[in-house]
Amino acid sequence: MTDDILTALSFIEGLKVISRTSVMRYKGTTKTIREIAGELGVGTIVEGSVRRAGDRVRIVAQLIDASSDEHLWANTYDRELQDVFAVQSEVAESIAVALESVLSPQGKARLATKPTDNLEAYELVLRGRNEYLQALPQNVARGMEFLRQAIELDPQYALAHAHLGVAYFVQPFWSPVAPDRVIQPAKEAIDRAFELDPNLPEAYAARGCWKAFFEWDWKGAEADLARALALNPNLADAYYWRSLFLMLQQRHPESVEDIRHAVALDPLSHFVQDELGQRLLWAGQIEAARRVYESILDEDPSYYQAHFLMGVINRPTDPAAALEHYDRALTGFDSPIVWASRSIALRSLGRHKEADQTIARLETRSQTEYISPFAMGLVYLASGDVDKAFDCLEEGAEIHDVFAPYIRVVAQPWGIDEDHPRYLALRRRIWPDEFGESSE
């Protein structure tokens, strides 16, 4: 219910609506409305409750001015359980009137469309999205299973197909899954979402992910993300995916601007905060990135991705501190990328034998599981075997390894000769439109 009302509110013109990921952290909180509003950076709060009795449900909603604690609007809705989706339209219309604003035309059209008749499928999609963005293999797998279950319950549920398409895209980042296992099923899920709902913002966001990484079609990806945001200006997912694509094209000011939009819409999500840290890091704003990750670790000292990026930040000036962070990261996730980065820190400390052992370990693992060629390229690069490193990096570009485009942002800090013919050939392959060529 929370998610649908937030979606409905996002169609009120000029209104910033905070993502469910952040607002659900206040469920059952004892904090005051003013404290919550201050933490989220908003001026008004929608508060409500849902009570179910048999096949009926009572929904109480109220709009509160955070600065004065004044109730701007309130209402109670008694409905049959299957009618709960209709309440979102009534709530959105009422709040638009209370705020002296209006619903956009596309918003009215969207609210007239019931997303699904199956409440269990609806809940599974919410759980699925939350899981696949947790950035751990077991969470991604669990999220995908929830989404598949939702589709089994309601094969016509477009949003479930769109999120499954994104989950397939996310999976190789966090799991030993080769690109050829996800490219086609991701496309099928996204195509099905469009068949069911040609104007679904999440479908455009999903297709943008697919075009960027599995076609190297950066212009097409950017167009799809722009369309997603035109349809729903409060879609935080679209902002952070577009910021990623812009970062990988070294369009850093635009990338940082987009991720800050995502943070404004989902300020308490560690996933989004982590993305902010990465954008700042690769834009050269090292100390700002450090502060982001220190803040994340203050809240969650076990968050492995923050330890990994703190390792990246510290490696050039304090490789010993970097090594500590890499080791902390590896306690949470046995990632080949982290092992590769750790080997670079070991080289910086003169511990070459241990770094060589990392190469041997990853080579052995690659015989039984998929290891990103990008990770292998990094360990060979650190060892001084440039030709072997480029062999791996070229393989990654050929098979659309999701880490392949990162070569551009790590080239300078990790000592890759940007005038090397093989590096320039990689750039031409991954970013063909910059050379006046079409994508594959």
Side-chain angles (χ1 to χ4, degrees), residues 116-149:
T116 178
D117 289 318
N118 192 299
L119 293 176
E120 186 179 354
Y122 168 77
E123 289 292 338
L124 284 165
V125 168
L126 295 182
R127 294 169 65 189
R129 178 191 175 276
N130 181 65
E131 286 287 347
Y132 77 67
L133 290 179
Q134 293 301 308
L136 284 170
Q138 61 271 26
N139 295 93
V140 176
R142 192 179 303 125
M144 295 177 78
E145 181 57 29
F146 287 150
L147 293 167
R148 292 189 186 102
Q149 290 175 19

Side-chain angles (χ1 to χ4, degrees), residues 316-349:
T317 56
D318 191 349
L323 194 62
E324 291 182 14
H325 280 294
Y326 289 141
D327 287 341
R328 288 289 301 278
L330 288 166
T331 63
F333 178 30
D334 186 19
S335 164
I337 295 292
V338 180
W339 279 110
S341 301
R342 185 179 185 274
S343 77
I344 298 174
L346 288 170
R347 301 277 183 198
S348 299
L349 292 167

Side-chain angles (χ1 to χ4, degrees), residues 8-51:
L9 294 177
S10 71
F11 293 116
I12 297 177
E13 293 182 351
L15 193 67
K16 182 182 81 172
V17 181
I18 302 300
S19 167
R20 178 181 186 274
T21 310
S22 289
V23 300
M24 288 303 288
R25 291 179 64 173
Y26 294 102
K27 185 176 182 180
T29 185
T30 58
K31 291 184 177 181
T32 66
I33 292 294
R34 187 170 298 181
E35 288 173 327
I36 295 170
E39 292 176 6
L40 294 176
V42 297
T44 52
I45 296 285
V46 178
E47 185 180 54
S49 64
V50 179
R51 294 183 181 178

Side-chain angles (χ1 to χ4, degrees), residues 94-345:
S94 299
I95 290 177
V97 171
L99 295 176
E100 298 182 351
S101 188
V102 294
L103 279 167
S104 64
Q106 66 263 35
K108 290 182 178 180
R110 173 62 53 190
L111 294 177
T113 305
K114 196 173 183 181
T116 178
D117 289 318
N118 192 299
L119 293 176
E120 186 179 354
Y122 168 77
E123 289 292 338
L124 284 165
V125 168
L126 295 182
R127 294 169 65 189
R129 178 191 175 276
N130 181 65
E131 286 287 347
Y132 77 67
L133 290 179
Q134 293 301 308
L136 284 170
Q138 61 271 26
N139 295 93
V140 176
R142 192 179 303 125
M144 295 177 78
E145 181 57 29
F146 287 150
L147 293 167
R148 292 189 186 102
Q149 290 175 19
I151 291 168
E152 287 181 10
L153 290 170
D154 183 359
Q156 308 301 309
Y157 195 1
L159 186 61
H161 291 279
H163 276 304
L164 184 59
V166 177
Y168 275 119
F169 159 70
V170 168
Q171 191 178 29
F173 281 95
W174 314 114
S175 305
V177 175
D180 62 4
R181 287 179 52 192
V182 300
I183 291 175
Q184 188 57 33
K187 187 176 188 303
E188 290 171 357
I190 295 165
D191 287 347
R192 183 59 178 150
F194 273 108
E195 289 173 8
L196 294 167
D197 189 345
N199 292 307
L200 183 66
E202 289 84 355
Y204 278 98
R207 192 170 69 181
C209 295
W210 196 91
K211 285 182 177 179
F213 279 78
F214 300 144
E215 284 193 327
W216 305 142
D217 180 7
W218 304 94
K219 287 183 178 179
E222 190 172 349
D224 273 344
L225 271 296
R227 179 59 179 157
L229 288 167
L231 290 167
N232 182 356
N234 287 288
L235 188 60
D237 298 33
Y239 276 116
Y240 59 69
W241 291 132
R242 188 171 69 176
S243 78
L244 171 61
F245 308 155
L246 292 169
M247 180 193 80
L248 295 174
Q249 296 173 76
Q250 294 190 313
R251 294 164 58 183
H252 295 300
E254 297 168 87
S255 173
V256 172
E257 181 181 359
D258 263 2
I259 197 60
R260 289 198 185 281
H261 276 299
V263 170
L265 293 168
D266 201 355
L268 303 184
S269 165
H270 284 164
F271 176 84
V272 179
Q273 288 289 336
D274 167 37
E275 295 293 316
L276 170 63
Q278 291 188 52
R279 305 302 179 268
L280 295 170
L281 169 61
W282 301 121
Q285 300 179 44
I286 309 299
E287 292 310 309
R290 185 192 301 275
R291 289 191 293 273
V292 169
Y293 290 115
E294 287 175 344
S295 176
I296 293 173
L297 290 172
D298 282 343
E299 290 191 20
D300 183 358
S302 67
Y303 196 75
Y304 88 90
Q305 181 75 350
H307 280 294
F308 168 51
L309 272 301
M310 282 293 284
V312 174
I313 290 169
N314 280 291
R315 195 226 15 117
T317 56
D318 191 349
L323 194 62
E324 291 182 14
H325 280 294
Y326 289 141
D327 287 341
R328 288 289 301 278
L330 288 166
T331 63
F333 178 30
D334 186 19
S335 164
I337 295 292
V338 180
W339 279 110
S341 301
R342 185 179 185 274
S343 77
I344 298 174

